[in-house]
Amino acid sequence: MTARYDEIGVGYALGRRTDPRWLEPVVSALGAAASVLDVGSGTGSYEPPARDVVAVEPSAEMIRQRSPEAAPVVRAVAEALPFASGTFDAALAVLTVHHWPDWRAGLTELRRVASRQVVLAYDTALHNDFWFVREYVPEVAALEDSRPSAPEIADFLGASSVRPLPVPWDFTDGVFPAYWRRPEAYLDPAVRRSCSALAQTAPEAVSRGIDRLRADLESGRWQREHAELLELPEWDAGFRLIVA
């Protein structure tokens, strides 16, 4: 079994750390579910505490980085979950649906194994409006346009609720737009490796963008043109918590 994150997930656990400001709404969205299947769980960042959790993850590299205290994990893909129908109270999928080769088949599987689905996804149009994409690495937009967007996912699931999850300025989970107010972080190769959008974009395009960003930070141009961001405690990058 091959998995994309066997290549781009090295060191993932260091850059992608659980932020309680997202964990709380994710856990709340699970409602009274006692048994939870965490699909595409990665290193287990948002596995809910005090629940009976089973994780599904296709990448051996990601499984290797899981904590010994993390939930038991099965190596499988979302499109073919190795569980009987109705096995779980809820199925959870956090920032993973955009990686699934057949996202509709994966979501259908979530509905098959659990009566409640909780999906954290993002609006690709808002991601593409991120200053880093617009001004420095516009090539990322083509990748995002090929991915399922939160409104599509919510519509497919027949969502009962869709909640925006803003990104705090000091967010500890290094998702792609996490450093919207800390642009110097993108100069760090380790930060970029933890962002799949950058890890999957042509290296020469990313290098060109980083060179421009470095120059704009040194000249003060970035700070002048984005002064309004420096006053914001949080920013809506398009992340949506979908419940169905």
Side-chain angles (χ1 to χ4, degrees), residues 10 13 16 53 66 84 99 149 151 159 200 220 226 235-236:
V10 177
R16 301 295 300 272
V53 180
R66 292 173 65 85
H99 291 304
S149 191
Q200 294 178 257
H226 298 284
W235 177 68
D236 183 4

Side-chain angles (χ1 to χ4, degrees), residues 162-210:
V162 178
R163 173 181 174 178
L165 289 187
V167 181
W169 77 270
D170 57 349
F171 201 47
T172 60
D173 185 346
V175 293
F176 177 36
Y179 307 99
W180 57 271
R181 209 180 98 172
R182 296 171 286 167
E184 63 283 350
Y186 292 108
L187 304 182
D188 184 346
V191 166
R192 299 197 298 273
R193 281 195 298 270
S194 294
C195 303
S196 69
L198 295 179
Q200 294 178 257
T201 298
E204 58 273 18
V206 176
S207 293
R208 284 195 302 268
I210 292 301

Side-chain angles (χ1 to χ4, degrees), residues 80-101:
L81 296 174
F83 304 100
S85 299
T87 298
F88 301 91
D89 297 327
L92 175 65
V94 175
L95 297 180
T96 177
V97 176
H98 58 281
H99 291 304
W100 299 352

Side-chain angles (χ1 to χ4, degrees), residues 26-234:
V26 167
V27 171
S28 178
L30 292 168
S35 59
V36 178
L37 181 66
D38 184 12
V39 180
S41 62
T43 59
S45 296
Y46 291 96
E47 288 173 3
R51 313 276 179 129
D52 182 9
V53 180
V54 175
V56 167
E57 172 56 45
S59 166
E61 174 59 32
M62 299 297 274
I63 291 172
R64 185 188 66 79
Q65 296 177 59
R66 292 173 65 85
S67 163
E69 290 77 39
V73 61
V74 175
R75 195 172 180 200
V77 297
E79 296 91 336
L81 296 174
F83 304 100
S85 299
T87 298
F88 301 91
D89 297 327
L92 175 65
V94 175
L95 297 180
T96 177
V97 176
H98 58 281
H99 291 304
W100 299 352
D102 187 342
W103 62 272
R104 293 178 179 85
L107 293 178
T108 298
E109 279 288 85
L110 262 61
R111 289 194 295 202
R112 181 182 67 80
V113 300
S115 57
R116 186 180 187 89
Q117 302 85 43
V118 176
V119 176
L120 177 52
Y122 61 86
D123 187 320
T124 55
L126 290 179
H127 259 44
N128 281 345
D129 195 39
F130 178 30
W131 60 258
F132 190 94
V133 177
R134 287 197 325 266
E135 301 171 29
Y136 297 101
V137 190
E139 292 83 356
V140 169
L143 173 64
E144 297 291 16
D145 286 340
S146 72
R147 292 171 159 180
S149 191
E152 290 180 280
I153 294 169
D155 183 64
F156 185 86
L157 287 174
S160 58
S161 69
V162 178
R163 173 181 174 178
L165 289 187
V167 181
W169 77 270
D170 57 349
F171 201 47
T172 60
D173 185 346
V175 293
F176 177 36
Y179 307 99
W180 57 271
R181 209 180 98 172
R182 296 171 286 167
E184 63 283 350
Y186 292 108
L187 304 182
D188 184 346
V191 166
R192 299 197 298 273
R193 281 195 298 270
S194 294
C195 303
S196 69
L198 295 179
Q200 294 178 257
T201 298
E204 58 273 18
V206 176
S207 293
R208 284 195 302 268
I210 292 301
D211 287 345
R212 289 195 297 269
L213 176 59
R214 181 179 291 107
D216 284 353
L217 288 171
E218 290 175 354
S219 70
R221 178 179 180 274
W222 188 93
Q223 294 87 338
R224 290 191 300 272
E225 297 204 354
H226 298 284
E228 75 286 354
L229 293 180
L230 300 177
E231 304 298 323
L232 297 179
E234 60 183 21

